Each structure stands twice: as structure tokens, then as C-alpha cells.
């Protein structure tokens, strides 16, 4: 079995990261197809649903739960396995967590409508993604799928979701929290609360103060619950069952950025980097012949002459991409592969495109090798 095939066969979760627009979602879907073909029950989770891909897979965006891709579509893609997709909006999932956690529907709707809650979840980077990933973690625990491929939102901080509860707690200092929770604690606490309340009433007006108090009380419980699972989530993501793939475009600045990102993910979060995917590479274009205009006549000759500079530029790009792939492979580190995926001429969000990328991914020929240091031996 190929190297990437093995990864797809053994992991419980594979996280795809990278900058926006490099092809994370496309690569996630292709990896998912490839794994489903290998007989695994696969769920692909995308956090920034793209309309076209959703159409291709025949699933709606932002559903409540994962949606199984129809057998007809899978058969058309040559897949006889089981593949589901969940294209979710983190805000909706975060709200759903609030609903399931709250003691009553009334309490949940109070929190969801609370302006402060709305602002805080938007303000604490990764908070919504964290809740989404936590929802995903349920699927790992209940064994509904063999493999979950997690596409991440397009940001340098995509992986910060694992730290989000910490940051939310720091943001909303616990002592401040406790002060606001009404009716608890001894007499001194209650007096302190009264004092804070009257100061707040003067400063913000009574209705804002009430809203803040309500928020503190409801969100405090929720945060406690999120924090409780966080340690478990973090150690799971750093463990052997989780793979981590960095998708990048094949240009050198993009690769530098990707490596920076990889270092952070490995050192800060303890993730295990498995490989780089250099997507939309022209590396395979270098072997293509540039037709000689001398052999043609008339309009064809002039057309070839006009197109030749473009062909030559493509070839030069291809050579640069090839060299870069060699460099990445050379510096990737032990056991970390570098996979080169072609730039599909057509639309990569069509099923046929995804299938051809899936084919390429599980063929070891896609793996770049470090340049030979000494050609004479
Ligand atoms: N290998 C490829 N060849 C051609 N087009 C591609 C390829 N990979 C991705 N694309 C296209 O590039 C665009 C961005 O891809 P997408 O996967 O949405 O990126 P991201 O999720 O990183 O933002 C989409 O239109 C997609 O169809
Ligand atoms: Mg995407």
C-alpha cells in the first residue's frame, strides 16, 4: 500500500491545514474519497463550506448532522464504500452545543439571544471552531466512522481552536465571573455583588447589567463544560490516531508560510505532521514537448510562434515547482512525505476531478524525492 494509502488506512482523524485558497477543501474531499474506496467508513468535515463542492457531493450546506453521500454518486466516482460529509457553519454548531447543554430551552434561547454571548463567541478566535471540533469528537468516541477528515478554516490561526477554551477563560476572568453570578456565596459575596451591580447600573444602565449578569451565569456553566473536555481533546489530537497534512500552493513563499505553520502546530500543539501536499503543481509539465514552429506552415506556424512563449513560461514554472518539491522533500523531516498534485485543467470541484486527485494521492509516484546530493556516485 502507498504511503498516503497507509495513512488513510490507520488514522482515526486527519486534519488538513493551510492558507486560504490553496485547495484544503478539495484535498480533504479527495482524501475522503480515497479512504472510502479503501473500505473505511469516512466522514469529511469542512468548516468553510464551498457551494460548488457541496453540489458535487450532493449535500446541503450547514445541515444539523453529517449527511451520507448517495450510493449513485459514489458509484459514479467508482467508490463502493461509505462516505458522509458535514459542511458546517461553526456558529450554528456552537449554538447547538448551547442548546444541548442548557437546562431548558428557555435558558438556551436566553443565552443565544444575549448580545454579550454573540459578541464573545465572535471575539474569541477559534471558539466556534472549537465547539465544532468538539461535536466532531463525539463521532470519534461513538465509533460511527472509521476515519474523519477535518478541513480547517483558512487562517494562520486555524489550529488555535484547541486553545480556544483557555483563551475564553482568560478573556473572561473567573473571579469576575463569580462576582456576577447572583445569589451565590456568603453575605460578603452578596454584598460585593450588590455593590458591583449598582456600579454597573450607573455605568451601563440596568438592562445591560442584567444582560451581562445573565450571560455570566449561563456562559460560565458552558465554559466549565468546554474546559472539562479540552484536555482530553488536546491529548487526543496530539496522539497517534490523528494525522496532520499541510496543503500549500507550490510557490516558494507559500511553502515558507506552510513550514512556519507546521512548526507551530508541531511545537505548540504537539500535532504529528505526516506530510505536505503541494497542490496545483506544474511540476509534471516539464516533460511536455514544445512544438517547433519550423515544422508547421501557414496560420499554424504563426499560432505556434505566438503560443511558444506561454509554453516556455509554463515549462519554466514547472521546473521551478519541481525544484521546490525536491527542496521540501529534502527538509521535510523524518517520515514526512511531500506529495505533488497536478493542477487540473478543469474544475477540481467536479466529481471526476476529485477522483483523479484521489488517484494521484494514493500513488507513491506523487511523492517528491530530495535531489541527489552527489550525481557522480
Ligand atoms: N489540483 C487542483 N487543480 C485545479 N483546481 C484546483 C485544484 N485544487 C483546488 N482547485 C480549485 O481551487 C479553488 C480553491 O480550492 P479550495 O479547495 O476551495 O481551497 P481552500 O479550501 O484551501 O480555500 C477551487 O475552485 C478548487 O476547485
Ligand atoms: Mg476551504
Amino acid at each position: 500500500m502507498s504511503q498516503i494509502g497507509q495513512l488513510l488506512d490507520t488514522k482515526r482523524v486527519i486534519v488538513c491545514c493551510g492558507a486560504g485558497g490553496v485547495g484544503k477543501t478539495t484535498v480533504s474531499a479527495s482524501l475522503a474519497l480515497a479512504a472510502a474506496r479503501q473500505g473505511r467508513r469516512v466522514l469529511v468535515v469542512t468548516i468553510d463550506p464551498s457551494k460548488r463542492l457541496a453540489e458535487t457531493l450532493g449535500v446541503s450546506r450547514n445541515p444539523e448532522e453529517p449527511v451520507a453521500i448517495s450510493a449513485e454518486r459514489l458509484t459514479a466516482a467508482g467508490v463502493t464504500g461509505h462516505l458522509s460529509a458535514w459542511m458546517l457553519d461553526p456558529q450554528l454548531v456552537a449554538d447547538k452545543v448551547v442548546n444541548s447543554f442548557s437546562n431548558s430551552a428557555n435558558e438556551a434561547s436566553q443565552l443565544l439571544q444575549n448580545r454579550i454571548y454573540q459578541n464573545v463567541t465572535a471575539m474569541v478566535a477559534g471558539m466556534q471552531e472549537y465547539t465544532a471540533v468538539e461535536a466532531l469528537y463525539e463521532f470519534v468516541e461513538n465509533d460511527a466512522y472509521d476515519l474523519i477528515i477535518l478541513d480547517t478554516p483558512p487562517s494562520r490561526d486555524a489550529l488555535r481552536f484547541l486553545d480556544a477554551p483557555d483563551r475564553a477563560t482568560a478573556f473572561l476572568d473567573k473571579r469576575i465571573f463569580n462576582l456576577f453570578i447572583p445569589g451565590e456565596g456568603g453575605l460578603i459575596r452578596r454584598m460585593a455583588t450588590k455593590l458591583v451591580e449598582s456600579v454597573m447600573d450607573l455605568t451601563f444602565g440596568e438592562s445591560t447589567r442584567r444582560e451581562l449578569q445573565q450571560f455570566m451565569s449561563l456562559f460560565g456553566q458552558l465554559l466549565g463544560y468546554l474546559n472539562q473536555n479540552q484536555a482530553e481533546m488536546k491529548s487526543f489530537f496530539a496522539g497517534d490516531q490523528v494525522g496532520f497534512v499541510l496543503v500549500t500552493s507550490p510557490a516558494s513563499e507559500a511553502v515558507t508560510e506552510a513550514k512556519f505553520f507546521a512548526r507551530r502546530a508541531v511545537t505548540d500543539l504537539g500535532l504529528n505532521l505526516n506530510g505536505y501536499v503541494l497542490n496545483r503543481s506544474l511540476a509534471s509539465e516539464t516533460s511536455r514537448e514544445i512544438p517547433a514552429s519550423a515544422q508547421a506552415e501557414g496560420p499554424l506556424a504563426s499560432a505556434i510562434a505566438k503560443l511558444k512563449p506561454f509554453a516556455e513560461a509554463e515549462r519554466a514554472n514547472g521546473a521551478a515547482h519541481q525544484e521546490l518539491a525536491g527542496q521540501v522533500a529534502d527538509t521535510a523531516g523524518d517520515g514526512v512525505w511531500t506529495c505533488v498534485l497536478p493542477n487540473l485543467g478543469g474544475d477540481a470541484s467536479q466529481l471526476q476531478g476529485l477522483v483523479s486527485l484521489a488517484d494521484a494521492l494514493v500513488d507513491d509516484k506523487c511523492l517528491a524525492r530530495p535531489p541527489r546530493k552527489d550525481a557522480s556516485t
Side-chain angles (χ1 to χ4, degrees):
M1 189 177 268
S2 70
Q3 276 202 54
I4 295 179
Q6 251 162 33
L7 189 76
L8 295 173
D9 227 36
T10 51
K11 297 293 179 189
R12 297 293 320 274
V13 173
I14 295 175
V15 186
C16 288
C17 296
V22 293
K24 280 184 309 295
T25 305
T26 307
V27 170
S28 301
S30 304
L31 285 170
L33 274 175
R37 279 199 308 210
Q38 287 176 201
R40 301 203 85 194
R41 295 169 304 157
V42 186
L43 170 65
V44 55
V45 179
T46 76
I47 300 192
D48 59 334
S50 118
K51 194 158 165 257
R52 286 222 315 276
L53 187 69
E55 281 164 8
T56 297
L57 297 175
V59 301
S60 63
R61 292 193 292 165
N62 307 328
E64 293 266 306
E65 288 169 4
V67 181
I69 292 160
S70 76
E72 291 83 18
R73 270 178 213 264
L74 288 179
T75 313
V79 177
T80 48
H82 176 93
L83 176 59
S84 295
W86 194 16
M87 308 197 146
L88 52 89
D89 174 347
Q91 176 73 59
L92 292 183
V93 181
D95 292 353
K96 205 177 153 200
V97 169
V98 170
N99 273 313
S100 66
F101 168 79
S102 301
N103 294 320
S104 66
N106 185 35
E107 192 183 290
S109 82
Q110 276 180 2
L111 183 55
L112 292 178
Q113 281 163 25
N114 187 295
R115 280 176 303 144
I116 298 160
Y117 166 78
Q118 290 165 359
N119 281 310
V120 165
T121 51
M123 229 170 339
V124 178
M127 195 65 206
Q128 291 171 5
E129 285 78 9
Y130 176 80
T131 17
V133 170
E134 195 171 275
L136 168 157
Y137 186 57
E138 262 181 46
F139 294 113
V140 177
E141 282 195 310
N142 72 16
D143 235 12
Y145 302 94
D146 302 320
L147 171 67
I148 298 173
I149 309 234
L150 175 64
D151 179 22
T152 53
S155 101
R156 217 177 200 195
D157 276 339
L159 288 168
R160 297 300 303 278
F161 62 76
L162 288 172
D163 284 333
D166 278 346
R167 274 174 294 128
T169 311
F171 180 73
L172 304 156
D173 188 297
K174 204 164 178 65
R175 284 162 308 176
I176 300 181
F177 250 121
N178 291 341
L179 268 183
F180 278 97
I181 298 172
E184 275 178 28
L187 181 64
I188 295 182
R189 259 292 296 288
R190 285 205 299 274
M191 283 171 66
T193 306
K194 274 269 164 287
L195 185 66
V196 171
E197 278 177 10
S198 43
V199 172
M200 296 281 295
D201 284 353
L202 280 177
T203 323
F204 299 117
E206 193 188 334
S207 76
T208 302
R209 191 263 297 164
R210 280 190 191 287
E211 207 164 356
L212 196 58
Q213 218 162 28
Q214 180 197 46
F215 164 77
M216 291 293 185
S217 151
L218 298 175
F219 193 70
Q221 297 170 48
L222 178 64
L223 206 56
Y225 159 81
L226 293 179
N227 274 324
Q228 201 184 335
N229 288 348
Q230 185 193 19
E232 197 179 328
M233 294 261 300
K234 272 181 139 172
S235 74
F236 173 74
F237 272 88
D240 280 346
Q241 295 185 305
V242 178
F244 170 41
V245 170
L246 243 162
V247 185
T248 168
S249 73
S252 67
E253 321 79 67
V255 168
T256 306
E257 170 82 10
K259 291 206 149 182
F260 167 83
F261 193 84
R263 249 194 320 277
R264 280 237 320 236
V266 171
T267 52
D268 295 359
L269 297 166
L271 293 175
N272 302 300
L273 177 65
N274 293 97
Y276 291 93
V277 174
L278 306 189
N279 189 32
R280 313 192 76 159
S281 173
L282 300 172
S284 58
E285 303 292 305
T286 48
S287 53
R288 205 165 282 171
E289 281 290 315
I290 297 177
S293 48
Q295 287 159 6
E297 283 170 20
L300 184 58
S302 74
I304 288 176
K306 285 204 177 93
L307 288 173
K308 208 169 162 181
F310 293 108
E312 276 165 0
E314 281 293 87
R315 191 140 70 167
N317 274 334
H321 289 177
Q322 209 165 43
E323 196 187 322
L324 186 69
Q327 281 168 16
V328 175
D330 195 24
T331 55
D334 278 346
V336 179
W337 42 257
T338 304
C339 166
V340 177
L341 285 185
N343 188 14
L344 300 179
D347 193 346
S349 55
Q350 296 299 311
L351 205 50
Q352 237 22 62
L354 296 177
V355 171
S356 68
L357 292 178
D359 291 340
L361 281 161
V362 294
D363 183 345
D364 273 345
K365 283 202 291 260
C366 76
L367 302 183
R369 286 173 211 296
R372 270 193 286 173
K373 297 267 153 62
D374 183 3
S376 65
T377 53

